[in-house]
Structure formats: structure tokens, C-alpha cells
Amino acid sequence: MPFIEESDLLELHKDVDKAQIINERLLDQIKFKNKELKKSKIQRNIFAGITTFFILAAIAFGSLTAGISISGGFSKKNNNNDLVFTSIDSLDAIKARIDNLKEQNEELSLVKEFYLAKEFLEKEKIYSVQVKSFVDNNVTLASEALTNTLFVKTNPFYSYSLGNFETLEEAQSFRKQLVDIGFDDAFVASYKDGKRIQIEDPY
């Protein structure tokens, strides 16, 4: 097994940590957008209820005033037309607001779909690059400074793997970096629920 400088190993872990931090930030943004989606749905439903109420009130008021203006003569009919034009202007504003809410809803739906896809991926298998196996569980490579590592017991050995990747391609690329610095026997394995499923194709 080739020797790796601790600084190189720490650099690799820093790169993995950076990717994990970016993923966590994306998840936080998705959760925030999801909350906004829920708020906008509630606002949209309230707005739709209020709009429906005002439309029905305007129709009822228009019907009532139309009946009064027909019985009241020509001069009241002109005032009613002004009221109708004002109502049409406010209806155009309401329609524009509804169209705007529809656009926002579509954008938030895309965010929600991405969040659901991410949640699905988290339930699926992950890929990691195994670099060493030990008979005993006293792994001296373990350190508090190192994250994104897996210690998995595969009878009778304890395996030490680096990185947690969603795709096989990412893990294969990371394996290539490890091989380039001297870990010739590193290989990619897939894991699910903390257990190794299989050894994957290295390329």
C-alpha cells in the first residue's frame, strides 16, 4: 500500500467537505423555497377566495344597480356605465395578479420537484472509494478532522472508504485522483443503509 501524506489526505477530505457543504446549502435553499411555496399556496387560496367574493359582490351590485338604473332613467344609466368601466379596470388588475401568482406557482413547483428528487436520491444507494481494509477495528487513520468517511464491517474485515457520492461517475473520478497519488488498489463500492452492496466498475 503506498504512503499518502496526511496533508494530501486532508486536502481530499476538504474537497469532499466543500461539496457536502454546497449540497447542504442547496437543501436549505430548497427547504426555504418549499416553505415559500406553502405560503404562496395559502396566499393564493385566500386571494382566490377574496377575489371570488368581490366578483360575486360586483356582479350582484351590478345587477342591483342595473335594475335601479333601468327603472330610474337615463341619467342614472351613465353613472352605472362609469361604475362598470371602473370594475373592468379592477378586474384587469386582478387578472394580472392571478397570472403573476400562476408564474410564481410554476417556479415553486419546479423547486419542489427538485427537492423531491433530491429526497429520493438520499434514500437510494451511495458510492464511496474504499482505500483500505483492516482485520482489527483499531483504525489509526480515523481522525476528528476527517469527515465523509465510511467504516464498514464486512466480515471479517473493517473497510475504510472515502467520500459519499450520489453518482457512480463522481466516485470513479475521485478514485482516479486517489490512484494518481498512489492508492493503486482503491476501488469504488456502492452502499445502502450503511452496508456494502457491491464493488463497482472502476471506469
Side-chain angles (χ1 to χ4, degrees):
M1 174 87 187
F3 178 74
I4 181 170
E5 294 289 331
E6 187 173 343
S7 61
D8 291 337
L9 187 59
L10 286 174
E11 284 299 318
L12 286 173
H13 279 289
K14 285 179 185 177
D15 291 341
V16 172
D17 287 344
K18 286 178 187 176
Q20 184 178 12
I21 289 169
I22 291 170
N23 282 343
E24 288 172 359
R25 286 181 183 163
L26 285 173
L27 280 174
D28 289 342
Q29 289 176 356
I30 289 168
K31 288 176 185 175
F32 178 74
K33 288 289 185 183
N34 203 15
K35 286 180 185 176
E36 284 183 354
L37 173 66
K38 288 178 183 177
K39 285 181 185 177
S40 70
K41 277 186 175 180
I42 292 170
Q43 289 174 349
R44 186 182 65 235
N45 291 339
I46 291 171
F47 183 72
I50 292 171
T51 304
T52 304
F53 172 78
F54 280 119
I55 290 173
L56 292 175
I59 291 171
F61 183 73
S63 299
L64 180 65
T65 54
I68 292 173
S69 65
I70 289 173
S71 62
F74 184 76
S75 62
K76 289 188 178 180
K77 202 174 205 179
N78 287 339
N79 290 338
N80 194 24
N81 286 340
D82 291 340
L83 179 64
V84 169
F85 287 128
T86 303
S87 297
I88 290 173
D89 290 340
S90 63
L91 285 176
D92 289 338
I94 291 170
K95 286 180 183 177
R97 176 73 177 142
I98 289 172
D99 291 339
N100 187 21
L101 286 174
K102 284 181 182 177
E103 287 178 20
Q104 289 178 358
N105 189 31
E106 288 173 8
E107 291 173 5
L108 291 174
S109 293
L110 292 174
V111 170
K112 182 180 179 184
E113 287 175 18
F114 176 75
Y115 177 70
L116 291 174
K118 179 76 174 169
E119 199 172 53
F120 174 76
L121 284 175
E122 288 176 352
K123 294 178 182 175
E124 292 300 308
K125 65 182 175 181
I126 62 166
Y127 301 92
S128 189
V129 181
Q130 183 172 326
V131 291
K132 187 74 176 162
S133 290
F134 301 94
V135 176
D136 297 322
N137 192 16
N138 58 354
V139 180
T140 57
L141 290 175
S143 166
E144 293 297 324
L146 303 177
T147 58
N148 282 332
T149 56
L150 290 175
F151 294 98
V152 179
K153 180 170 173 55
T154 54
N155 287 333
F157 299 104
Y158 293 90
S159 63
Y160 178 75
S161 298
L162 299 175
N164 297 319
F165 302 97
E166 291 179 358
T167 65
L168 179 60
E169 291 78 21
E170 291 172 321
Q172 289 169 336
S173 172
F174 184 64
R175 179 202 164 272
K176 184 179 181 316
Q177 291 175 8
L178 290 174
V179 169
D180 290 345
I181 62 169
F183 284 92
D184 295 328
D185 55 348
F187 60 88
V188 177
S190 55
Y191 296 86
K192 187 171 184 178
D193 298 327
K195 296 178 183 174
R196 187 166 77 190
I197 301 171
Q198 65 182 22
I199 296 173
E200 300 290 340
D201 183 14
Y203 308 102

